[in-house]
Amino acid sequence: MPIARREASDARVIAHVDMDCFYVQVEQRRQPNLRGLPTAVVQYNAWKGGGLIAVGYEARRFGVKRSMRGDEAKKACPEIHLVQVPVARGKADLNVYRDAGSEVVAILSQRGRCERASIDEVYLDLTDAAETMLSESPPEMLEEINEEVLKSHVLGIDKNGEEEGETAKQWIGNSDASHRDRLLVCGAIIVGELRMQVLKETEFTCSAGIAHNKMLAKLASGMNKPAQQTVVPFSAVNKLLASLPIKKMKQLGGKLGSSLQADLGVNTVGDLLQFSEEKLQEKYGINTGTWLWNVARGIDGDEVEGRLLPKSHGCGKTFPGPQALKTITSVERWLNDLCEELSERIQSDLDKNNRVAHTLTLHARVYKANDSESLKKFPSKSCPLRYGTMKIQEDALKLFNSGLREFLGLYKAESKVTMNNKWGVTALSVIASKILATPGTCSILKYFRGVDPSCSTEGHANNENILDTLPTSHSGTESCLGGDMTDLPKESSCEETNSNCSKLNLNRDGKRTNKRNSEVAGPILRYFSTPSPSCSSSQHARHGIIQDIEPSSTPARDGCSGYNLAESQNGTLQGETRLSNSSPSLVQHGQEKQQWSFNVEDIDPSVIGELPPEIQDEVRGWLKPLKHAKTAKRSSNNIAQYFLPTRDT
Ligand code: DCP
């Protein structure tokens, strides 16, 4: 779970940018007639109108929520337009959203180090850009400041009865402010410009938080949505955390947050201040204890990783209730589909980014019929990944069979899974991880020294190199919760991203906005705040969208990023294969045996959201860091002063 890290510097400028109702915006760009109308994106199964996975802000005004199914949403807002998520191979096809996310990342990454945290959110380290701006063109010298920036919400500044814009203007122009505050001003200006650029080039609005670390930036980005930005000056941190419900803090939304409430009576993050670091360590372990101590003070040393591409690719599918797969043939059929998609995606990654995935992992949710012990988990299995759809399919099936034998207690390799061993599969997923750049060549054949990637016969899932992937137990009570990780980025552009459709007629759309709002809102918010829909039946008839869906629940989307499990013994599962470290999935004959390892760190937390919900918690479990022997050193940068911001947080 959380890893305590010192603040690298007390004057970093970090932004968290989160797209607004992202899938809905993507669908509204595909179908511009939906703009301004209450819209939601639903899963592809028709049961009860399908689970809502994204809800537009117009629909939210009618009380429509993501936890609803389509039928319920229609009751709340009869005019809602339910757009079905694209489907391919009998499951959701998220490519269009991935690609749209990549368009945004391409823009946001222009001004500083950029970490793609999920399908629709990034962290930016803008420290260098802000320092440069401060030295070359300080904010108070700027002739004109972007309206979006002037509309920033700045936590903790005294409004003195003035309009928000006026207050922000004064904050921005205060040349007597501290260096760190002035850096944040520069960060806010840069982020405002980036958000405008995103809108112009992609038609998407986004919201952002600007602070001195990732934790605070993430917290702030969701405070004023849609299409707004929020700044957290150093001086506002204690007041902010004092009233922040503990479960709202990233990574405290789950078991750890519940334990803090139940066992320590902690209701807000600020309540944690009453506990010493030693006390927190005693209760939650050394590392988590220190992390909690830091969280209470708004300290977070997590660095923005320069990562625009995913660490792994995953495809999964659930088979709830009567849909459970009960024969090897049906499992094979679905595995083939999942592997085909996985193969396409890793091949595309290889073609576009020169990156090779090294590890194939299979995870399943299986029950044993009439067995009181059927709560036993199906063991996840992994093996070296061989390129080529058929090889991946073949290996995935072997991994499944191996896991099933173990699950059923048939330990010998030759044991047959028969009809007497009744079982049912309710979820399946395959993940390609340990994705590494090929060394400085544009030719994959050169990299593999003449071996056709699809022809390798070694390193596949045989009994020697099938590995148990799931660490059987994790010490510590931590769970990896509270983040917002959705999906795997993909660098390719979709059809919709060609120059024709990606060019925004901003003025046209801007003018369509509600005049009342446009008087007070910045240009991005104006763009977003189209007239409140009337929910009339005529609109409904005019935009007859899809209302299908699946019985599975809306996938939970927790996650965590930036873990460093390198020191974790249990987090690394090792075995011996004939794999070479330099070409792990493609092995030369006669090579010496080398140790091959599968490290949970190689799985991008953002892949989790794409997996079936039932699988997500287990995969998240892999990402739980183990407690380290050493206590992370406490930063001296604790926030010592309390201020009295006027704004309610
Ligand atoms: N998503 C999903 N399943 C979920 C939650 C989200 O498939 N349970 C998808 C659809 C969302 C996208 O991920 O559009 C991004 O999720 P967010 O949590 O960032 O939510 P939105 O972008 O939809 O809305 P907001 O403006 O509140 O961020």
Side-chain angles (χ1 to χ4, degrees):
M1 153 106 213
I3 297 286
R5 295 207 176 98
R6 298 183 63 165
E7 287 275 7
S9 146
D10 63 355
R12 288 185 298 158
V13 180
I14 308 294
H16 178 257
V17 182
D18 186 28
M19 306 308 292
D20 303 313
C21 56
F22 189 47
Y23 288 12
V24 170
Q25 286 206 76
V26 174
E27 294 302 338
Q28 287 178 330
R29 187 174 73 171
R30 275 147 57 100
Q31 303 179 59
N33 58 329
L34 292 180
R35 277 198 197 285
L37 302 179
T39 307
V41 175
V42 292
Q43 286 279 24
Y44 55 92
N45 186 305
W47 189 69
K48 289 193 177 173
L52 270 56
I53 54 174
V55 181
Y57 282 83
E58 295 86 355
R60 293 184 201 193
R61 287 183 209 137
F62 293 91
V64 177
K65 294 193 170 64
R66 185 144 68 193
S67 54
M68 293 177 172
R69 300 202 76 90
D71 291 353
E72 208 182 335
K74 277 194 167 283
K75 274 190 200 141
C77 176
E79 293 315 309
I80 194 166
H81 296 272
L82 299 175
V83 184
Q84 186 189 32
V85 79
V87 176
R89 299 185 181 93
K91 59 185 280 298
D93 177 4
L94 306 181
N95 275 334
V96 66
Y97 309 122
R98 280 188 204 107
D99 292 344
S102 296
E103 288 177 61
V104 176
V105 170
I107 296 164
L108 294 178
S109 58
Q110 290 168 7
R111 302 290 290 272
R113 191 159 69 242
C114 176
E115 174 183 329
R116 190 169 185 177
S118 79
I119 197 164
D120 80 328
E121 58 181 330
V122 305
Y123 288 100
L124 303 173
D125 187 333
L126 300 171
T127 312
D128 290 347
E131 290 278 11
T132 306
M133 178 185 277
L134 201 53
S135 61
E136 290 174 4
S137 49
E140 66 275 9
M141 306 290 279
L142 294 177
E143 280 177 12
E144 204 182 337
I145 291 183
N146 186 318
E147 201 182 335
E148 271 311 309
V149 181
L150 294 176
K151 296 293 175 193
S152 298
H153 300 264
V154 185
L155 299 189
I157 57 169
D158 193 346
K159 291 196 192 92
N160 286 330
E162 293 182 73
E163 288 297 315
E164 188 105 43
E166 208 39 53
T167 324
K169 198 171 184 176
Q170 284 172 14
W171 178 74
I172 290 163
N174 181 8
S175 55
D176 294 333
S178 65
H179 179 70
R180 60 189 303 165
D181 264 7
R182 297 184 79 213
L183 279 179
L184 275 194
V185 170
C186 296
I189 292 172
I190 294 165
V191 170
E193 289 167 1
L194 284 171
R195 289 176 48 238
M196 283 300 293
Q197 199 184 339
V198 167
L199 180 61
K200 281 184 189 145
E201 294 182 21
T202 68
E203 302 184 34
F204 300 139
T205 69
C206 55
S207 299
I210 301 116
H212 291 300
N213 63 46
K214 284 169 89 173
M215 177 176 76
L216 296 170
K218 164 98 182 169
L219 209 52
S221 67
M223 283 182 177
N224 293 288
K225 272 189 152 248
Q228 295 166 78
Q229 60 184 50
T230 306
V231 186
V232 190
F234 179 67
S235 58
V237 177
N238 271 341
K239 177 74 189 290
L240 166 67
L241 299 180
S243 57
L244 186 76
I246 195 83
K247 291 262 187 170
K248 295 269 177 207
M249 176 57 81
K250 190 181 173 196
Q251 305 190 46
L252 292 178
K255 284 183 196 160
L256 182 54
S258 301
S259 164
L260 286 166
Q261 284 175 322
D263 303 335
L264 296 184
V266 166
N267 292 315
T268 68
V269 175
D271 289 348
L272 278 172
L273 284 171
Q274 62 189 289
F275 299 101
S276 68
E277 186 175 5
E278 290 69 29
K279 169 80 184 164
L280 293 168
Q281 288 180 336
E282 195 182 296
K283 179 89 184 129
Y284 295 106
I286 288 173
N287 193 57
T288 301
T290 297
W291 181 80
L292 287 168
W293 191 92
N294 285 342
V295 164
R297 289 154 183 81
I299 298 168
D300 172 29
D302 210 7
E303 293 285 350
V304 174
E305 288 176 33
R307 175 160 59 80
L308 307 185
L309 297 170
K311 279 160 100 179
S312 54
H313 296 287
C315 308
K317 164 100 182 145
T318 56
F319 310 95
Q323 296 170 29
L325 310 178
K326 293 178 179 155
T327 63
I328 289 288
T329 312
S330 57
V331 169
E332 183 175 4
R333 200 207 120 209
W334 277 107
L335 269 183
N336 283 349
D337 279 357
L338 294 174
C339 291
E340 192 177 296
E341 182 186 334
L342 187 70
S343 179
E344 278 174 15
R345 284 171 52 193
I346 60 172
Q347 190 59 52
S348 163
D349 200 345
L350 175 60
D351 295 343
K352 289 179 187 140
N353 310 311
N354 274 340
R355 302 195 315 157
V356 175
H358 293 186
T359 302
L360 174 69
T361 301
L362 175 126
H363 189 82
R365 168 80 59 186
V366 185
Y367 65 82
K368 266 191 261 185
N370 308 320
D371 185 342
S372 57
E373 289 171 33
S374 63
L375 287 178
K376 183 178 153 190
K377 280 182 182 167
F378 186 91
S380 293
K381 297 282 174 185
S382 63
C383 71
L385 191 151
R386 300 185 299 157
Y387 275 67
T389 303
M390 282 171 67
K391 288 185 167 46
I392 295 173
Q393 290 168 335
E394 187 185 309
D395 289 349
L397 186 61
K398 282 180 184 164
L399 293 178
F400 176 82
N401 278 325
S402 162
L404 188 61
R405 274 195 300 272
E406 194 176 316
F407 179 72
L408 297 175
L410 309 171
Y411 293 105
K412 288 183 183 163
E414 62 272 18
S415 307
K416 282 261 173 358
V417 174
T418 67
M419 286 307 287
N420 297 331
N421 317 114
K422 290 217 172 111
W423 47 270
V425 175
T426 55
L428 273 178
S429 67
V430 283
I431 297 173
S433 64
K434 201 165 185 178
I435 304 179
L436 302 175
T438 58
T441 172
C442 50
S443 163
I444 185 64
L445 293 179
K446 182 175 161 197
Y447 171 64
F448 291 113
R449 286 162 286 177
V451 179
D452 181 337
S454 63
C455 297
S456 164
T457 54
E458 295 188 58
H460 63 290
N462 58 35
N463 290 334
E464 281 173 26
N465 59 18
I466 290 178
L467 297 182
D468 289 328
T469 298
L470 190 66
T472 47
S473 70
H474 277 295
S475 60
T477 57
E478 304 95 330
S479 62
C480 177
L481 293 165
D484 282 317
M485 311 294 175
T486 308
D487 193 27
L488 302 167
K490 196 175 166 187
E491 286 304 284
S492 60
S493 290
C494 63
E495 286 158 23
E496 289 76 13
T497 65
N498 63 30
S499 55
N500 287 339
C501 63
S502 67
K503 292 291 168 215
L504 166 70
N505 186 343
L506 176 63
N507 292 337
R508 185 201 63 203
D509 285 322
K511 279 176 189 161
R512 271 202 249 136
T513 59
N514 185 338
K515 272 199 176 159
R516 180 172 43 87
N517 285 339
S518 68
E519 283 158 18
V520 294
I524 296 185
L525 189 57
R526 274 207 299 274
Y527 172 78
F528 207 95
S529 53
T530 49
S532 183
S534 65
C535 264
S536 73
S537 53
S538 61
Q539 283 173 336
H540 182 219
R542 197 154 29 107
H543 308 291
I545 317 297
I546 308 161
Q547 306 141 30
D548 278 347
I549 299 337
E550 71 172 351
S552 64
S553 59
T554 303
R557 293 180 345 99
D558 293 322
C560 38
S561 64
Y563 294 115
N564 181 356
L565 305 185
E567 293 168 33
S568 162
Q569 288 289 316
N570 293 350
T572 303
L573 302 162
Q574 297 186 331
E576 292 245 313
T577 74
R578 290 187 205 172
L579 224 50
S580 149
N581 282 345
S582 60
S583 54
S585 58
L586 306 162
V587 183
Q588 300 293 308
H589 286 274
Q591 275 184 317
E592 277 181 26
K593 279 193 178 185
Q594 294 186 25
Q595 199 169 51
W596 175 79
S597 69
F598 167 71
N599 194 331
V600 292
E601 192 187 356
D602 299 324
I603 292 189
D604 189 337
S606 64
V607 76
I608 296 174
E610 190 177 343
L611 300 175
E614 292 91 327
I615 296 174
Q616 293 183 10
D617 281 348
E618 283 182 47
V619 179
R620 259 179 224 114
W622 307 349
L623 303 179
K624 286 180 191 171
L626 298 166
K627 288 173 185 163
H628 293 257
K630 284 181 280 181
T631 307
K633 259 197 162 179
R634 181 190 295 177
S635 165
S636 59
N637 303 321
N638 52 326
I639 295 152
Q641 294 175 314
Y642 287 81
F643 288 75
L644 295 172
T646 54
R647 189 177 174 285
D648 268 341
T649 52

